[in-house]
Amino acid sequence: MKVRLRLTVNGEARDILVVSHKTLLEVLREDLALTGTKHGCELGECGTCTVLVDGAPVLSCLALPAELEGRSIATVEGMADGAHLHPLQQAFAELGAAQCGYCTPGVLLTAQALLAECPSPTRDEIREALAGNLCRCTGYTKILDAVELAALRMGAGTGAGVVSTGAGVAGTGAGVAGTGAGVAGTGAGVAGTGAGVATARVPAP
Ligand code: FES
Ligand code: FES
């Protein structure tokens, strides 16, 4: 059975017909073509599928989209401001905080929620916030470094970062903000997909 849903994703109203049993993860990827949000365990254990709902990290593999009408859903595709990377994306790119990149979208969004609540987190606070995002590549140190760098820049008002338009940082190929394997992309990059560091995340109500 299909149901009609009106969702707000990355600030845009979306009116779609979807199979009623689909999770938010499936709807984002299969019905809205927002493939930056990645499939992982689909059991609520890896954090790879993390999106933000009203600014808070939510595991999209456990969330039912029908319950999210009227809420604000944010995915990694919404982090960059046009060609300008989010400071977190920029810091991840500069410090090499994404290895295969599969965990990166979930990590970025979790870190974004952390910095919105706590602009100058300690190392331990960052580690705790990211505790639910597993990274298969175990690149945690650089991830922590990148979040610290972004926090520093955002605090200093210099954040929004570098921007490029080619196949690099903001490109469409394998670059940081691309749609392939890049930081803000929809593939496996910094803003791509993944398994990651960790947060106390809550399934959507
Ligand atoms: S895919 Fe959702 S927590 Fe692993
Ligand atoms: S960078 Fe490969 S899973 Fe995290």
Side-chain angles (χ1 to χ4, degrees), residues 48 97-104 107 134-140 143 188-189 193-197:
T48 299
Q99 295 184 47
C100 80
Y102 201 75
C103 69
T104 307
V107 172
L134 304 181
C135 178
R136 293 175 178 86
C137 302
T138 65
Y140 295 110
I143 289 172
T193 46
V197 191

Side-chain angles (χ1 to χ4, degrees), residues 35-36 38 76-77 89 105 175-193:
T35 54
K38 303 306 183 190
V76 71
E77 287 90 346
Q89 292 172 309
V176 170
T179 54
V183 168
T186 55
V190 168
T193 46

Side-chain angles (χ1 to χ4, degrees), residues 25 38-49 59 61:
L25 173 62
K38 303 306 183 190
H39 279 281
C41 64
E42 299 190 30
L43 295 170
E45 295 178 355
C46 73
T48 299
C49 64
L59 299 173
C61 70

